[in-house]
Amino acid sequence: MWPPPHHPSSSEVSPIRNLPPGEELRLLVDAVTDYAIFLIDATGHVLTWNEGARRIKRYAPEEIIGRHFSVFYTDEDRESGRPSRLLAEATEHGRVEDEGWRVRSDGTRFWADVVITALRDDDGQPYVFAKVTRDLTERRAAEEQRMALAAEQRGRMAAEEALRVRDRFLSIASHELKTPIARVQIAAESIAHALDTDRLTADRLRASVGRITRATERLGVLVGELLDVSRIDAGGLAIERVPVDLVAVTSEVIERFTDLDDTAQRLRVSGDERVLIIGDPSRLDQVLMNLIDNALKYSTAPSQIGVDVRHSNGSAVIRVTDEGIGLDEADGGSIFSAFGRGDNASHVAGIGLGLFIVRDIVERHGGSVIAESRPDGGSTFTVTLPPGEVDGHA
Ligand code: ADP
């Protein structure tokens, strides 16, 4: 390289335009405009000021030199002792970095990244601090804008998802509601037709009324589930807290099922004689009703359905087992979500709300519900409920 690099000793003059030693460094610092670079003395008074400091903090050198550096801080920061805390940290560790709001001479704020470095004398005592401040307001604004954009995007995606759920809901609900309505219509028409043609026998009437009753019961369940879901969406189901014997609730539910033709022989009840908890009897009835109804729906006669209610490790445990189609591994927890239906369930009528409601009720009692496939086929639904409290009192 020509001319060869020349490294001046401190006693020499600077090779650049014959400046005194250190002068080019001062000129360099002075010329920096993107960083406020200045010195403060051991007690925090400003000693030097560069172009960047003037630009960022908007003080002329003569306005600020000699003043305490705490003027750059917000009132709250000054009151909480932030400036002196930062100096103390720089003294202890040699350097401190801080990010936060700082105040310009005109009172406006900017978001600053500040590094304070202690320069020590021969005894190791800091005699001066070098302070480098960067104005990150624009970067922070860009970051905030990016975050706002991401939040907006998330909001839009949530709204789109809500629309998808609503569409799915409308298509499932309308399909499921249409079926029992059509059955009622057909049964009513068949009665009317038999009347018109004088062929209305007691048997025919009984069969049609039976169909109407079953269809309206199904309609009642569907409408009830839809109402429950809108209640859950609107903040949750109201849960009563009274002493309940889960075994008694189970017996009542089972009795309702045994009114149906071949179901009586399929249900096997086991467990303790009495399992008392604090809870909502009609909601717990609904939980049992749903689980037993599913067990029947997703298995075929004459396979057995087990309903076991007992105390276990200080909790009440309800276990409903069946020997039916079992659970699809791939469905994971989705069968507990609103309108969540297993791929293996398409042959059975349903709208996928039962387990969603079951989980909400159980969780509102402070409990949990899990679904498992049984190794030899079928599934087990286990509900664990704590003993509970009445209105916050144990
Ligand atoms: P629905 O029965 O109307 O589909 P649920 O919320 O009660 O709604 O059940 C959700 C899904 O969970 C069902 O579609 C089915 O895939 C699965 N499921 C529930 N109970 C059982 C069961 N006993 N055996 C197998 N799968 C079940």
Side-chain angles (χ1 to χ4, degrees):
M1 184 200 260
W2 189 261
H6 175 68
H7 302 289
S9 75
S10 58
S11 59
E12 276 181 274
V13 293
S14 158
I16 308 167
R17 294 164 62 195
N18 288 338
L19 294 170
E23 186 58 7
E24 72 263 47
L25 188 64
R26 196 187 60 76
L27 285 174
L28 175 72
V29 168
D30 275 354
V32 170
T33 55
D34 289 340
Y35 292 81
I37 304 174
F38 55 98
L39 297 173
I40 52 184
D41 67 17
T43 55
H45 295 89
V46 177
L47 295 171
T48 67
W49 205 238
N50 78 333
E51 179 54 26
R54 199 193 59 75
R55 205 178 62 83
I56 294 173
K57 296 181 188 275
R58 298 189 189 155
Y59 286 95
E62 59 277 13
E63 287 175 296
I64 193 66
I65 287 176
R67 288 179 67 186
H68 196 264
F69 84 115
S70 57
V71 294
F72 305 136
Y73 289 75
T74 62
D75 289 345
E76 310 89 80
D77 279 350
R78 262 201 308 275
E79 275 154 31
S80 74
R82 191 166 183 160
S84 48
R85 208 168 45 245
L86 289 175
L87 280 197
E89 259 183 68
T91 305
E92 192 181 334
H93 304 294
R95 176 183 189 280
V96 66
E97 184 158 2
D98 184 42
E99 217 179 287
W101 289 113
R102 296 293 186 271
V103 183
R104 299 191 183 96
S105 72
D106 56 13
T108 56
R109 290 179 174 208
F110 67 102
W111 187 259
D113 172 65
V114 177
V115 176
I116 303 177
T117 311
L119 307 179
R120 298 173 194 279
D121 59 22
D122 294 342
D123 299 331
Q125 285 306 309
Y127 64 96
V128 78
F129 294 95
K131 200 161 179 284
V132 179
T133 302
R134 240 179 340 153
D135 181 352
L136 296 185
T137 314
E138 276 174 25
R139 190 195 285 188
R140 185 180 154 92
E143 177 68 7
E144 275 173 357
Q145 202 178 11
R146 199 185 59 72
M147 274 159 55
L149 218 69
E152 192 190 297
Q153 225 162 21
R154 277 197 302 277
R156 216 182 17 242
M157 275 161 70
E160 281 167 8
E161 176 59 20
L163 271 182
R164 268 197 299 278
V165 168
R166 197 202 59 181
D167 287 350
R168 199 156 153 235
F169 160 77
L170 286 175
S171 84
I172 294 175
S174 62
H175 176 259
E176 286 295 318
L177 290 171
K178 269 186 205 155
T179 311
I181 290 171
R183 286 198 182 129
V184 170
Q185 219 162 11
I186 291 166
E189 277 168 12
S190 108
I191 294 173
H193 183 69
L195 254 182
D196 289 348
T197 54
D198 264 345
R199 283 186 297 171
L200 186 62
T201 61
D203 280 351
R204 182 172 286 204
L205 186 60
R206 206 170 292 119
S208 296
V209 169
R211 266 180 234 122
I212 291 174
T213 308
R214 281 193 297 279
T216 47
E217 270 170 11
R218 176 78 192 132
L219 271 176
V221 170
L222 286 172
V223 171
E225 285 186 343
L226 294 173
L227 283 176
D228 278 349
V229 169
S230 65
R231 284 193 198 107
I232 291 172
D233 277 350
L237 299 171
I239 297 288
E240 217 190 331
R241 300 200 179 279
V242 295
V244 195
D245 177 12
L246 284 177
V247 177
V249 176
T250 308
S251 302
E252 276 172 39
V253 173
I254 298 271
E255 216 162 281
R256 248 172 277 146
F257 278 106
T258 48
D259 291 345
L260 303 172
D261 307 337
D262 63 347
T263 313
Q265 307 87 302
R266 297 186 59 196
L267 296 174
R268 231 179 325 106
V269 183
S270 56
D272 293 336
E273 255 177 42
R274 230 165 108 81
V275 177
L276 266 186
I277 66 157
I278 300 296
D280 188 321
S282 60
R283 289 299 181 187
L284 292 165
D285 181 307
Q286 202 177 347
V287 167
L288 275 150
M289 189 77 196
N290 255 304
L291 295 181
I292 298 172
D293 187 41
N294 276 349
L296 288 165
K297 235 167 57 173
Y298 295 107
S299 65
T300 41
S303 68
Q304 299 274 288
I305 310 291
V307 185
D308 186 87
V309 184
R310 66 178 67 233
H311 292 286
S312 175
N313 298 325
S315 299
V317 177
I318 304 169
R319 199 166 274 124
V320 179
T321 47
D322 64 60
E323 297 164 5
I325 59 171
L327 299 162
D328 210 336
E329 282 298 307
D331 295 331
S334 66
I335 56 170
F336 288 101
S337 56
F339 306 109
R341 300 209 70 213
D343 286 338
N344 60 355
S346 47
H347 63 293
V348 184
I351 51 174
L353 290 180
L355 290 181
F356 173 66
I357 297 166
V358 163
R359 190 178 64 177
D360 192 77
I361 295 173
V362 170
E363 288 180 352
R364 271 170 202 284
H365 280 81
S368 61
V369 52
I370 54 166
E372 291 160 304
S373 273
R374 299 172 68 204
D376 45 353
S379 27
T380 303
F381 283 79
T382 309
V383 173
T384 307
L385 293 161
E389 292 176 3
V390 190
D391 293 335
H393 300 292

